Amino acid sequence: MFGVKTLRAVRICRASVLWRPSQTVTRTQSVAAGPRVDIGGIYPPIATPFTQNEDVDYQKLDENLRKYAKIPFRGLVVQGSNGEYPYLTDDERVEVVRRVRLALPTCQLVLAGSGCESTRATVVMTERMARAGADMVLVVTPCFYKGKMDSRALVHHFTQVADSSPVPVVLYSVPANTGLDLPVDAVLRLAQHPNILGLKDSGGDITRIGLIVHKTKAQDFQVLAGSAGFLMAAYSVGCVGGVCALANVLGNELCDLERLCVSGRWDDARALQQRLIEPNAAVTRKFGVPALKQAMEWFGYHGGACRSPLQPLSDVESQQLRLDFSTNGWI
C-alpha cells in the first residue's frame, strides 16, 4: 500500500550486503556498482555526551550504546546535527564513529556524518570515516556561501565526494540548519550516481519528498525522513525509514511506528504519530539539542550538557519541554 516496502522479518547483516574497504576504487569506478544495501528502518542521530570540562565522555557514550543495542534500530547516525558535530574537532568526530562501530552489533549500520564546508575537506573526512568503520556516510549540504550553492555547485560537490568515497553516500538536506534545500533537480541528477544510495530529507515538505521518491524509482534511490514529526506521512509517499532525533528518547516507539506503517495499519499508526508530534517538535525546532539532552536524562540515557556556545534550557523551557511529553502520555 502506498508504495511502502514489506517489513523485513529479519534484517540482513551488513557483512553480507555491503562493500568492504579492502576493494580497490578509482574515481571512475563506483563502489556501489554491485548489490545496493537496503537502508530502510529507524536511526537515532545520537547525541554526544560531554564531561563537565566539555570533553567527549566515551564512558557515557558506551552506556548509551548498550541501551540502544537492545532496540530494533536499523542503525545509528553518528556525527549528525544532534551529535553537535560542528563543535567537535576532526579527530573527535572520527573517534566517536570508531567507538560506535566497535560497540554496535554488526547487523546495525553506522551512518557517519562526514560533511564539511569544502569539497576537499569532505573527501578527506569521508575517507577517514570509512577507515573508522562507517558503513555509509551522510553528507550535509555545504552552506557558508549559501548564495552560491546552486544546483551546479552542489551537484559538483556531491559527485566529487561520491566518486572518491570508499563507502556509499547518503545526501543530507536540513534547511533549518543550513538555510537551503538541496534542490530537487540536483537530487534527481545525483540519484543516478551509482555510489549515492539515497537522501535524508529533514525539510518536512511531503510533496517534495513524494516527488523525489516518484522521480527516482528507476535508480532504486532510497529516501529517509529526517524527523519523527512527519514519519507516517513520509512512509505513505514511499520513504523507507527515518532518522529521528526523538528516537534517542523514544526509540522503541519510533520502531513501533515503522512497523505499523510498513504493515499497513494506518489507523494505529496515525494514533501513535499524533502523540509524537509535540515532543518531537520540542526536541528539534522549538528547543533543539539542549532539549533532546534534557529529555534523554528523563528517560534513562546520558544526555548531559552541550558544548559551548550551546546553553542549557532555562527553567521555563524545561517546564514546557516536560509538558510537551507529559500531555502526550510519555511521562
Side-chain angles (χ1 to χ4, degrees), residues 43-49 56 58 61 65 68 75-85 88 92-102 104 108-115 125 129 132-139 172 200 243 248:
Y43 302 74
I46 62 170
T48 304
V56 178
Y58 292 107
L61 175 64
L65 293 174
Y68 289 145
L76 303 183
V77 167
V78 190
Q79 295 307 302
S81 301
N82 289 281
E84 298 174 70
Y85 81 88
L88 272 64
E92 287 174 328
R93 290 176 67 179
V94 174
E95 180 62 13
V96 171
V97 169
R98 189 186 72 82
R99 299 264 188 142
V100 172
R101 179 67 276 169
L102 288 174
L104 205 64
Q108 290 185 316
L109 301 172
V110 172
L111 181 49
S114 66
M125 181 60 73
M129 291 302 192
D135 299 298
M136 296 169 286
V137 289
L138 183 69
V139 182
Y172 181 19
K200 176 197 172 187
V243 180
N248 283 283

Side-chain angles (χ1 to χ4, degrees), residues 4-304:
V4 178
K5 292 187 176 181
T6 302
L7 180 64
R8 296 154 298 276
V10 179
R11 299 289 193 188
I12 301 173
C13 290
R14 67 189 181 98
S16 65
V17 294
L18 287 174
W19 175 88
R20 305 310 302 159
S22 59
Q23 291 179 251
T24 301
V25 181
T26 67
R27 288 179 179 270
T28 59
Q29 176 185 1
S30 167
V31 300
R36 288 165 73 85
V37 62
D38 174 9
I39 62 173
I42 301 300
Y43 302 74
I46 62 170
T48 304
F50 297 109
T51 67
Q52 291 297 317
N53 294 327
E54 294 193 7
D55 296 323
V56 178
D57 193 330
Y58 292 107
Q59 179 180 344
K60 293 291 194 279
L61 175 64
D62 287 342
E63 292 175 14
N64 285 343
L65 293 174
R66 284 196 290 272
K67 294 177 181 179
Y68 289 145
K70 300 175 183 177
I71 300 173
F73 292 133
R74 184 64 177 102
L76 303 183
V77 167
V78 190
Q79 295 307 302
S81 301
N82 289 281
E84 298 174 70
Y85 81 88
Y87 297 165
L88 272 64
T89 67
D90 288 354
D91 288 344
E92 287 174 328
R93 290 176 67 179
V94 174
E95 180 62 13
V96 171
V97 169
R98 189 186 72 82
R99 299 264 188 142
V100 172
R101 179 67 276 169
L102 288 174
L104 205 64
T106 56
C107 286
Q108 290 185 316
L109 301 172
V110 172
L111 181 49
S114 66
C116 303
E117 280 301 308
S118 77
T119 304
R120 176 177 293 201
T122 304
V123 166
V124 171
M125 181 60 73
T126 295
E127 292 171 348
R128 293 188 67 186
M129 291 302 192
R131 289 197 299 271
D135 299 298
M136 296 169 286
V137 289
L138 183 69
V139 182
V140 70
T141 49
C143 62
F144 187 84
Y145 298 107
K146 65 181 181 181
K148 300 299 292 182
M149 293 299 103
D150 56 13
S151 291
R152 183 170 69 97
L154 292 171
V155 167
H156 176 80
H157 172 76
F158 285 110
T159 299
Q160 293 294 306
V161 173
D163 283 350
S164 302
S165 177
V167 293
V169 172
V170 176
L171 311 174
Y172 181 19
S173 181
V174 54
N177 289 351
T178 62
L180 57 91
D181 262 317
L182 183 54
V184 172
D185 68 294
V187 174
L188 301 186
R189 290 177 61 187
L190 292 166
Q192 300 175 45
H193 194 293
N195 201 31
I196 296 179
L197 278 182
L199 164 73
K200 176 197 172 187
D201 194 308
S202 297
D205 183 341
I206 294 300
T207 58
R208 165 192 158 90
I209 292 172
L211 180 63
I212 291 171
V213 171
H214 174 63
K215 292 288 189 179
T216 59
K217 286 180 181 177
Q219 284 75 46
D220 190 26
F221 190 73
Q222 302 170 74
V223 182
L224 297 168
S227 176
F230 55 88
L231 185 61
M232 176 185 165
Y235 270 112
S236 76
V237 297
C239 283
V240 300
V243 180
C244 306
L246 192 62
N248 283 283
V249 177
L250 298 175
N252 279 311
E253 290 75 12
L254 266 296
C255 291
D256 286 344
L257 182 54
E258 174 207 14
R259 175 178 53 82
L260 293 171
C261 289
V262 299
S263 62
R265 296 172 57 187
W266 296 106
D267 289 341
D268 292 337
R270 185 181 304 109
L272 178 54
Q273 174 70 87
Q274 289 171 345
R275 294 176 57 215
L276 295 170
I277 292 172
E278 282 187 308
N280 177 74
V283 301
T284 55
R285 58 183 173 82
K286 187 188 290 188
F287 299 128
V289 178
L292 175 64
K293 288 192 160 184
Q294 176 65 73
M296 288 174 66
E297 296 286 338
W298 294 339
F299 284 83
Y301 299 98
H302 297 293

